[in-house]
Amino acid sequence: MRFLAYIESDPSQPFGPPPPELFEAIGAFGAETAASGVLVDQGGLGPNESSAHIRVADGKITVTDGPFAETKEVIGGYAMYDVRTKEEAVELSRRFMQIHADIWPGFEGTSVVRQVFGPDDFEA
């Protein structure tokens, strides 16, 4: 089963930029989970200011480039896991968030874990 885990945080929080040690620890965690075969992909996302929103409403598509004035939460990064159970994905995400708690004082955020469905998950 595949799960996408991503971190949401409030861009107005005053916890400052990530410390370099955080990237080292995330790299080590990524290497460990890749070596065990559960990490499919991971990455950090660029700033919200450089993103685009593509919206469909009333049958029309609108494209809006950032920055976005009223952003309440941003997604900072993600990991895709291939594990046997949701509980395994939650534990991996908990460990990832523990790295943040240990290394980045003042950081506040939420990791969301969602199952990713593929064609084999639906009946024909």
Side-chain angles (χ1 to χ4, degrees):
M1 297 169 50
R2 287 191 173 193
F3 289 88
L4 177 68
Y6 57 90
I7 294 181
E8 296 177 334
S9 62
D10 181 342
S12 68
Q13 290 292 315
F15 42 77
E21 299 83 13
L22 181 66
F23 295 112
E24 293 171 19
I26 288 172
F29 183 71
E32 173 194 333
T33 53
S36 72
V38 299
L39 181 66
V40 175
D41 190 26
Q42 72 175 6
L45 301 177
N48 198 40
E49 292 80 20
S50 63
S51 65
H53 291 182
I54 299 89
R55 177 177 165 76
V56 63
D58 297 323
K60 296 181 183 179
I61 295 177
T62 306
V63 178
T64 307
D65 287 321
F68 302 98
E70 302 223 5
T71 302
K72 293 184 176 20
E73 291 181 332
V74 295
I75 298 174
Y78 71 94
M80 176 78 70
Y81 298 116
D82 190 356
V83 293
R84 292 180 303 266
T85 66
K86 176 183 172 185
E87 290 75 21
E88 287 180 60
V90 168
E91 175 57 18
L92 289 166
S93 189
R94 187 205 64 75
R95 289 180 55 204
F96 189 77
M97 293 302 279
Q98 187 64 55
I99 292 169
H100 286 71
D102 292 345
I103 295 174
W104 196 359
F107 174 80
E108 293 184 13
T110 301
S111 181
V112 178
V113 176
R114 297 181 64 182
Q115 186 172 0
V116 176
F117 294 104
D120 294 340
D121 296 308
F122 300 97
E123 293 184 36

